[in-house]
Amino acid sequence: MAATYVKRAFRYRFHPTDAQAAELSRTFGCVRKVYNLALAARTEAWARQERVNYNQTSALLTAWKKTEELAFLNDVSSVPLQQALRHLQGAFTNFFGKRAKYPRFKSRKKSRRSAEYTTSGFRFRDDRLTLAKMSAPLDIVWSRPLPEGAAPSTVTVSQDAAGRWFVSVLCDDPGVKLLPVTDTAVGVDVGLDHLLTLSTGEKIANPRHERRDRSALARAQRSLARKAPGDGTNRAKARRKVARIHARIADRRRDGLHKLTTRLVRENQTIVIEGLSVRNMVKNRRLARAISDAAWSEFRSLLEYKAAWYGREVIAVDRFFPSSKLCSHCGKLAKSMPLHVRTWTCEGCGTTHDRDMNSAKNLKAAGLAVTACGAGVRPQRRAPGGQSAMKQETPWREP
């Protein structure tokens, strides 16, 4: 198996001292301030039909540090401040390339608290990581070792809404090896009653992580709602309690999806999924919570990058492909397929189908056709019969 070098981030918890926490909090605030100042400067220039690039904002940062009002920017490392300007440059590059919307200002309450350090802003020796402006290394919980001989190129420190501190170490991982090529392929149909239905006949139950903690989350949210906005300490405690429950749900969901996607990539050379528009689907108020909890978009994202690592192929079939109404045995298309119908019998060949299983088999066949004949075999872009883009596989409703 050939080895490939991939950029891989390893994320760890750490426990800062009071002095380190104060230093990092100041850094987070300065990063946000510099980003917003640079965005304001570029927006004003944009109104004058002028372009401001990274080099010009870097010169502005030097000038800001010399002013009395912004002299506090000198108290933190300059590396994460420069990285904030690079991130803003990337945001504008994506905007001009029509890949993203116009950059927005960072909010103190809602924006992610993080700072990025390049090699000049940290020292890593003997598994001890020391950031600029700090005399002692971070107390990191090394839950797994870094690749042998790996030299971190970027370190990102962050704090989530639950108050937990994380450090993400980016380095080249030589341990990722291409898996042996096989002839196995699988179609994957996602749903809410069952999270996944495979063309092999296997159905994977939906763990519904959010539902397990729904009552505790509701109590915590009611407690937070009773706290007045000016009730600083008590409101902060209530907010952290809500955040901890959300974090626990997200951690369980992410862990389950990682295990599931790793298994699919290891066992199959080709994985065929349905290209769903989840952003449109969550507009359905009755299903939005359940769809968000299933995390179909995250499932696809994890599946795609792992397939790229290990030499596998992920094919997304057009979401308007009638996978549920098409008989996987004879190819006859049923006239209608209401959501409450979970099993149906084909009028052409008399085969009785499980709705989800039939859909998974059709997805696999369509994906293999794309592999053999090219993208020209993709189904029509319009929904058959004027149907909406909403996925037609799941009748389950959120109580």
Side-chain angles (χ1 to χ4, degrees):
M1 293 184 292
T4 58
Y5 284 82
V6 298
K7 287 288 186 181
R8 188 171 182 178
F10 294 83
R11 189 166 178 251
Y12 304 94
R13 284 283 300 274
F14 76 96
H15 305 284
T17 64
D18 293 340
Q20 290 174 338
E23 175 65 27
L24 290 173
S25 295
R26 284 194 298 269
T27 303
F28 296 158
C30 291
V31 166
R32 184 181 63 252
K33 182 68 173 179
V34 167
Y35 185 95
N36 288 342
L37 287 172
L39 177 55
R42 297 185 69 148
T43 301
E44 293 172 1
W46 176 258
R48 299 191 302 267
Q49 297 184 347
E50 298 177 1
R51 288 281 186 97
V52 175
N53 57 27
Y54 163 75
N55 291 331
Q56 291 169 299
T57 55
S58 181
L60 286 175
L61 175 59
T62 302
W64 291 334
K65 288 183 175 182
K66 296 179 181 179
T67 64
E68 182 178 354
E69 181 184 4
L70 299 175
F72 61 86
L73 296 177
N74 295 289
D75 297 336
V76 302
S77 171
S78 62
V79 174
L81 304 185
Q82 293 289 346
Q83 287 300 102
L85 298 180
R86 292 190 178 94
H87 292 164
L88 180 61
Q89 178 64 34
F92 271 99
T93 300
N94 291 331
F95 168 69
F96 292 128
K98 298 183 179 180
R99 295 184 296 272
K101 295 182 179 180
Y102 192 82
R104 296 185 297 178
F105 291 95
K106 292 184 179 294
S107 167
R108 184 176 66 177
K109 293 183 179 180
K110 297 182 180 180
S111 297
R112 182 170 179 258
R113 291 167 54 84
S114 66
E116 184 176 284
Y117 296 79
T118 55
T119 51
S120 60
F122 66 87
R123 183 175 68 254
F124 183 76
R125 294 176 183 172
D126 301 325
D127 292 338
R128 295 167 67 86
L129 178 65
T130 306
L131 301 178
K133 299 284 186 177
M134 293 185 184
S135 58
L138 300 179
D139 182 15
I140 300 176
V141 181
W142 296 103
S143 53
R144 54 177 174 170
L146 288 174
E148 186 176 356
S153 59
T154 303
V155 170
T156 302
V157 181
S158 61
Q159 184 185 28
D160 66 5
R164 302 180 301 178
W165 295 85
F166 294 94
V167 58
S168 181
V169 181
L170 182 67
C171 57
D172 287 323
D173 185 2
V176 176
K177 298 181 179 179
L178 296 178
L179 296 174
V181 177
T182 66
D183 58 355
T184 56
V186 66
V188 181
D189 179 71
V190 298
L192 297 180
D193 186 21
H194 291 89
L195 181 62
L196 301 180
T197 300
L198 308 183
S199 58
T200 57
E202 181 182 0
K203 290 191 174 184
I204 299 173
N206 185 356
R208 295 193 176 98
H209 299 287
E210 185 270 341
R211 177 180 283 187
R212 290 173 55 185
D213 280 331
R214 185 175 298 177
S215 58
L217 180 60
R219 287 194 301 270
Q221 289 174 329
R222 285 196 298 267
S223 177
L224 176 61
R226 289 193 294 266
K227 303 296 187 294
D231 190 6
T233 303
N234 290 334
R235 184 174 176 82
K237 290 181 180 179
R239 183 197 57 76
R240 282 195 297 270
K241 186 173 183 179
V242 173
R244 283 196 295 268
I245 297 175
H246 277 299
R248 184 166 65 243
I249 295 171
D251 288 346
R252 286 202 305 260
R253 181 189 298 122
R254 190 180 303 108
D255 178 68
L257 289 178
H258 269 296
K259 293 175 180 176
L260 187 56
T261 52
T262 298
R263 176 199 153 193
L264 289 174
V265 168
R266 286 177 176 173
E267 294 179 354
N268 302 279
Q269 180 66 34
T270 303
I271 305 167
V272 186
I273 60 177
E274 190 173 5
L276 299 175
S277 178
V278 179
R279 180 178 298 180
N280 291 335
M281 297 172 66
V282 294
K283 294 177 181 178
N284 184 326
R285 293 182 296 174
R286 293 179 299 178
L287 294 175
R289 174 182 278 182
I291 292 173
S292 299
D293 188 34
W296 294 335
S297 294
E298 186 175 3
F299 166 76
R300 176 174 175 174
S301 176
L302 297 178
L303 197 64
E304 287 178 337
Y305 87 71
K306 291 179 181 181
W309 279 3
Y310 297 107
R312 303 308 201 193
E313 184 180 18
V314 175
I315 300 174
V317 176
D318 193 288
R319 64 179 181 272
F320 294 125
F321 175 62
S323 57
S324 295
K325 300 195 299 180
L326 189 67
C327 176
S328 59
H329 187 262
C330 69
K332 183 177 179 60
L333 186 66
K335 294 181 180 179
S336 64
M337 188 67 60
L339 288 176
H340 67 273
V341 176
R342 307 314 299 169
T343 59
W344 60 284
T345 302
C346 176
E347 297 179 356
C349 62
T351 303
T352 299
H353 297 288
D354 176 278
R355 182 191 185 107
D356 298 332
M357 197 71 64
N358 178 68
S359 177
K361 292 178 180 178
N362 284 325
L363 289 173
K364 175 184 176 182
L368 294 179
V370 171
T371 301
C373 305
V377 301
R378 292 179 61 187
Q380 68 275 14
R381 295 297 301 174
R382 292 183 58 188
Q387 295 178 1
S388 68
M390 174 61 68
K391 179 176 172 59
Q392 299 296 314
E393 298 0 290
T394 306
W396 187 83
R397 294 183 179 182
E398 180 69 16

